[in-house]
Amino acid sequence: MRLRSWRSISGHSARPGGGEGEGGSYNRAKLANNCKLGLIAYGIIDREGAFTEVGDKLYGLRGDEVALYEELGRHILLNLRGMTLVQCLQDMVAAGEEITLDSLREALAERGVHFPRGGKHPSMMRLWLAKSGIIVGSRWQVNPIRLRAVLGVDPADFPALAQFTPQQRSFLLALANTSITTPQPANEIARLAAATYGVRFPDKSLPQQVLNALKNAGYIEATKTTTGRGAKPFLVAPTPKLKAEILGPLLEQLKGQVDPKLVDLLTKPLVDIVEEIKSPHRYTAGMALEALAFKLMRSLAMDYVATRLRASSTGGAEIDLIFQSSRLVYSRWQVQCKNTARVALDDVAKEVGLTHFLKSTVIVIVTTGEVGSEARRYANRIMSDSNLAIVMIDRTDLEGISANPAYLIDAFRREAEHAMTLKKSIWGIAANEKNRRSPSIP
């Protein structure tokens, strides 16, 4: 479909009360041309004035304003670097930076998006995203609930998962998050899924209640390792269908938010990512370090919020990210990955100092080296004196997770029980002190 002529648009653009003289005609023509250029820049029409595929879709929604602006918002986010803008805004808020057009221009330039000094391109995009509620107010505030709704890529809403039980859905997501294509023990994937998604799996009927349906649907390959009495657990491996319909949408959530190289890395097993961290090239090592944080947190079904410190600014030595979860209760996780031989006390102290500003409840420190004894003692003291939990994942843990993804659950459970033990000891001391001070009842 072709739009009306530009002269017609020029006439339509006339403001009420505008003059009909030479100046008025010039202004109308200029306004019409700006309108044309905007439609072209946003991919709604081509240079001949015909609707693009996107334009046709939007035109078909002209009678439903809510659906129209949601579709436009989705197009901006996924096809016009809108997610880069949104992610940049979230990163700047997480870092405590004031958002102005000047500071935003510099931050976007670091992400490979450039607009001229004095240009108002982000402001115009903000106004269009505000139409669908993604950005609210005049302070560049992102509404994450509307963002997820407009993108429509919440894992719980994947059409491919609708046909399955909660146990079957959780098993598929856990298997997809490992990115391992070779056969794995089904009971280990079930253990990972149970801890991550809070579902219970049958002890003796996993094939009948979970595996058979997934195999028949074409998402997994499941084979017995032995036959007869004392058979070992089934081995399961993902099929191309699982990668296309489950893993694909999982990664779709990150497109536009992060470097495309990072998305590519997330399709690899953890052992390959750890190997890339050893690269002598800082960019490659930095991307792999960021992928490591994503891999671990997404295996726990955590939602990515923002990147506070990028690996590019530390020569690939460390990365700071923020994740969150709203399962049962809200929690915010502050994650630091370090590609250094040793985590020192100062590294932990810096993260603890940021928790008040970031409103974090959990600190996760992941290192390709080891955690120093002073750093551990300091973390113990902080956990004893506050409601913070500090999780330490070192090289030995990464090796265990690389060999068996379900080991991640063991590592985090170990750290959780350690934190609980520390807090219980303090509670016991406080209770004894209270009882000592309270007068006895005769």
Side-chain angles (χ1 to χ4, degrees):
M1 177 178 179
R2 190 176 299 277
L3 287 177
R4 66 177 72 185
S5 69
W6 298 121
R7 287 186 178 181
S8 178
I9 289 181
S10 176
H12 182 70
S13 300
R15 295 181 178 179
E20 294 298 330
E22 183 177 345
S25 298
Y26 170 79
N27 290 334
R28 288 198 303 274
K30 185 175 181 180
L31 182 61
N33 189 57
N34 289 340
C35 177
K36 175 189 71 174
L37 294 177
L39 290 169
I40 293 173
Y42 274 67
I44 297 173
I45 64 171
D46 60 26
R47 293 195 173 275
E48 300 300 321
F51 276 135
T52 61
E53 183 178 345
V54 172
D56 275 330
K57 194 169 188 178
L58 294 174
Y59 184 75
L61 295 171
R62 64 191 183 281
D64 187 339
E65 185 173 303
V66 173
L68 172 66
Y69 285 125
E70 285 189 350
E71 185 61 36
L72 176 61
R74 188 178 300 111
H75 169 60
I76 292 172
L77 292 171
L78 298 179
N79 301 319
L80 302 178
R81 305 297 297 271
M83 277 307 305
T84 302
L85 172 64
V86 168
Q87 185 55 52
C88 183
L89 294 174
Q90 292 177 317
D91 287 355
M92 292 177 73
V93 169
E97 299 177 17
E98 181 182 2
I99 299 175
T100 65
L101 280 177
D102 287 336
S103 63
L104 188 57
R105 183 179 64 255
E106 294 178 2
L108 286 172
E110 292 178 357
R111 293 159 174 80
V113 179
H114 302 274
F115 68 94
R117 184 176 298 274
K120 297 182 179 180
H121 303 71
S123 296
M124 299 306 297
M125 184 173 285
R126 174 179 67 84
L127 292 173
W128 286 120
L129 291 176
K131 291 288 188 178
S132 56
I134 295 170
I135 296 179
V136 295
S138 59
R139 299 179 61 187
W140 302 89
Q141 182 180 356
V142 176
N143 183 336
I145 297 175
R146 287 299 301 153
L147 178 63
R148 288 195 298 271
V150 171
L151 284 174
V153 290
D154 192 319
D157 296 330
F158 292 166
L161 299 179
Q163 58 183 305
F164 299 121
T165 66
Q167 289 82 3
Q168 293 164 352
R169 288 197 297 269
S170 300
F171 189 95
L172 271 184
L173 288 171
L175 179 61
N177 278 330
T178 69
S179 300
I180 295 177
T181 57
T182 54
Q184 304 178 72
N187 62 332
E188 290 297 304
I189 299 300
R191 188 161 71 93
L192 178 60
T196 302
Y197 298 102
V199 297
R200 298 183 63 182
F201 287 86
D203 293 332
K204 297 183 179 180
S205 56
L206 186 64
Q208 293 83 355
Q209 295 191 29
V210 177
L211 302 186
N212 290 344
L214 301 180
K215 182 179 180 180
N216 293 337
Y219 289 108
I220 67 169
E221 296 175 354
T223 56
K224 289 185 178 180
T225 53
T226 62
T227 57
R229 300 178 62 182
K232 296 180 180 179
F234 274 68
L235 293 179
V236 295
T239 64
K241 184 177 181 181
L242 182 145
K243 297 175 188 176
E245 298 185 11
I246 306 298
L247 184 57
L250 280 172
L251 296 179
E252 187 71 24
Q253 298 176 62
L254 297 176
K255 284 187 176 180
Q257 300 184 54
V258 298
D259 192 303
K261 173 63 176 175
L262 176 62
V263 178
D264 293 339
L265 280 171
L266 292 177
T267 65
K268 296 183 177 182
L270 188 68
V271 64
D272 293 344
I273 295 175
V274 173
E275 192 63 30
E276 290 211 24
I277 293 176
K278 302 174 185 177
S279 171
H281 302 290
R282 290 184 174 183
Y283 174 79
T284 300
M287 280 292 99
L289 196 64
E290 191 165 352
L292 174 63
F294 269 92
K295 196 75 173 178
L296 295 179
M297 292 298 101
R298 288 184 68 82
S299 293
L300 297 174
M302 303 296 292
D303 299 322
Y304 173 61
V305 176
T307 299
R308 192 187 64 82
L309 178 65
R310 294 188 173 275
S312 58
S313 63
T314 63
E318 65 180 89
I319 178 74
D320 283 348
L321 304 107
I322 301 170
F323 290 79
Q324 65 186 17
S325 173
S326 57
R327 288 181 294 138
L328 297 182
V329 294
Y330 174 80
S331 61
R332 172 163 285 197
W333 294 46
Q334 190 176 313
V335 184
Q336 182 187 67
C337 280
K338 295 186 69 66
N339 184 23
T340 54
R342 190 179 186 85
V343 173
L345 185 153
D346 288 348
D347 298 318
V348 182
K350 182 184 70 173
E351 295 302 313
V352 171
L354 287 168
T355 57
H356 179 72
F357 172 71
L358 297 176
K359 309 301 181 185
S360 307
T361 53
V362 181
I363 296 173
V364 181
I365 296 180
V366 183
T367 177
T368 55
E370 62 180 20
V371 179
S373 57
E374 288 188 356
R376 287 192 181 275
R377 284 196 294 269
Y378 177 75
N380 290 344
R381 188 163 71 249
I382 292 298
M383 286 191 284
S384 298
D385 296 341
S386 71
N387 65 342
L388 275 176
I390 303 178
V391 178
M392 304 282 200
I393 303 295
D394 61 15
R395 178 178 59 247
T396 302
D397 291 323
L398 293 179
E399 291 171 352
I401 298 167
S402 297
N404 176 15
Y407 179 82
L408 176 66
I409 301 302
D410 297 331
F412 272 80
R413 182 173 288 126
R414 175 198 70 211
E415 296 295 300
E417 291 177 354
H418 175 62
M420 187 166 57
T421 299
L422 289 171
K423 295 179 187 299
K424 277 185 176 180
S425 64
I426 295 301
W427 295 336
I429 293 173
N432 291 336
E433 181 68 15
K434 181 179 180 180
N435 291 335
R436 186 180 67 81
R437 293 179 179 178
S438 300
S440 59
I441 300 177

